[in-house]
Amino acid sequence: ETRKATPGVGLISPPPHHDIYSIEDLAQLIFDLKNSNPESAISVKLVSEVGVGVVAAGVAKCKADHILISGCDGGTGASKWTGIKHAGAPWEVGLAETHQTLVLNGLRGRVTLETDGQLRTGRDVMIAALLGAERFGFATAPLIAMGCIMMRKCHLNTCPVGIATQDPVLRKKFEGMPEHIVNYLMLVAEEVRVLLAKMGFRTMDDAIGCTEALRMDPSLRDSMLNFGPVLMPAHLLPDAGKIGRIERRKLYGQDHFMITQAMKDRNLLQAFKATFRFGDAVYSDGHKLSNID
């Protein structure tokens, strides 16, 4: 009932529009999505892991508008326990590598970079922004603000607080209100404002990608951990600026000119709009079609 589906028919999420086995498959999928809705912004979600930066560069070249780097923490309570504990890497690692790789390849100004994975406080938001993120995904913390008690029964339809269930009896137990989430996010935003002021930034745009403002905890300097690759400012890398311009955030949109020009079906629909709407005979020339279109 919630998803307007036919009773008894199993649902797949996401729908199997394409089998993605290569970057070419992804480019074709983005092309098809842009064909269906040219005004939409195409987002691609990538798991934070070693080497994700190269994949993100390919995604940007495929004309994606938005890239999400998802960390190993957080996620739905319906996930398997082994996946929750052992899959992926921290979002800081994947985000830093992605931002650096996009800057090195002159692609950072094309795409919006987002991260998620147990972001809870304004400090988390500031660290993500300094590492290169422009958007920040919150899920678990707002869910708890609405009353979630993390029973991890989302897939069993037995949520005791009435959040992840369609049972009318259990749904009556839901006591969450929009104001709860609003208050929580306002507190996060206020902490971000305080941190911005302390660090000397006027706006969030000024802070994005300024990794040089991060410092390693002095108590960890004698440990075996090396944070150098993560804390290295992208614009100070040896090869920065050799390909394209050095950009810290999205400054312009993707060039979808070739995609919009290749939308022959949309051009034909526009040319014969009167035929479809009123049944009038319409003549139109200049459309070069072949058997492979």
Side-chain angles (χ1 to χ4, degrees):
E1 181 179 348
T2 300
R3 299 175 65 176
K4 310 298 182 184
T6 304
V9 176
L11 299 177
I12 300 175
S13 180
H17 182 76
H18 273 258
D19 290 327
I20 305 299
Y21 294 111
S22 66
I23 203 70
E24 291 80 9
D25 291 338
L26 181 61
Q28 181 64 43
L29 174 57
I30 294 175
F31 177 84
D32 291 341
L33 293 173
K34 275 294 181 181
N35 266 286
S36 63
N37 186 0
E39 304 301 323
S40 63
I42 308 303
S43 178
V44 177
K45 180 177 182 179
L46 302 175
V47 175
S48 175
E49 59 181 351
V50 176
V52 68
V54 176
V55 180
V59 170
K61 291 181 180 179
C62 288
K63 306 296 186 181
D65 304 292
H66 177 273
I67 298 176
L68 168 61
I69 304 298
S70 187
C72 60
D73 298 315
T76 172
S79 299
K80 291 185 178 180
W81 190 248
T82 53
I84 293 174
K85 287 296 182 182
H86 306 294
W91 57 263
E92 294 92 339
V93 176
L95 176 61
E97 180 182 342
T98 299
H99 178 69
Q100 293 170 6
T101 305
L102 292 176
V103 171
L104 287 176
N105 288 274
L107 301 169
R108 184 63 184 89
R110 298 187 189 182
V111 296
T112 300
L113 203 54
E114 180 180 349
T115 191
D116 67 8
Q118 285 289 22
L119 298 180
R120 301 179 182 179
T121 65
R123 179 177 180 274
D124 295 334
V125 172
M126 277 305 305
I127 293 176
L130 294 174
L131 289 176
E134 296 156 281
R135 295 184 181 179
F136 320 94
F138 285 81
T140 302
L143 201 61
I144 292 176
M146 293 180 65
C148 174
I149 56 176
M150 297 293 289
M151 289 294 291
R152 301 196 180 279
K153 294 186 176 181
C154 307
H155 59 304
L156 300 177
N157 199 39
T158 58
C159 177
V161 292
I163 296 178
T165 178
Q166 298 300 313
D167 190 324
V169 177
L170 294 175
R171 291 183 67 176
K172 291 180 181 179
K173 299 181 179 181
F174 177 65
E175 298 180 354
M177 298 178 62
E179 290 76 12
H180 295 160
I181 298 180
V182 172
N183 291 340
Y184 165 71
L185 293 179
M186 288 293 290
L187 292 171
V188 172
E190 184 62 27
E191 185 179 1
V192 171
R193 290 182 59 192
V194 171
L195 293 174
L196 282 172
K198 286 184 177 180
M199 302 178 73
F201 296 111
R202 293 180 62 88
T203 65
M204 281 293 289
D205 287 345
D206 296 336
I208 293 172
C210 293
T211 317
E212 61 271 16
L214 291 172
R215 294 291 184 271
M216 183 176 175
D217 189 337
S219 64
L220 298 176
R221 288 178 180 172
D222 296 331
S223 68
M224 300 296 292
L225 298 175
N226 179 15
F227 290 97
V230 176
L231 299 181
M232 171 62 71
H235 62 281
L236 297 180
L237 291 170
D239 294 331
K242 291 185 177 180
I243 302 177
R245 297 182 298 175
I246 297 178
E247 300 151 336
R248 294 186 177 183
R249 58 185 177 86
K250 183 174 182 178
L251 300 175
Y252 45 87
Q254 290 275 23
D255 182 12
H256 293 295
F257 176 77
M258 293 301 296
I259 293 180
T260 55
Q261 290 300 306
M263 295 179 183
K264 295 184 178 181
D265 52 348
R266 298 186 66 87
N267 295 333
L268 290 172
L269 289 173
Q270 184 66 27
F272 296 99
K273 185 191 303 182
T275 301
F276 293 112
R277 182 169 298 179
F278 307 109
D280 299 338
V282 176
Y283 176 78
S284 178
D285 58 3
H287 302 284
K288 296 181 180 180
L289 300 177
S290 66
N291 62 316
I292 61 174
D293 290 327

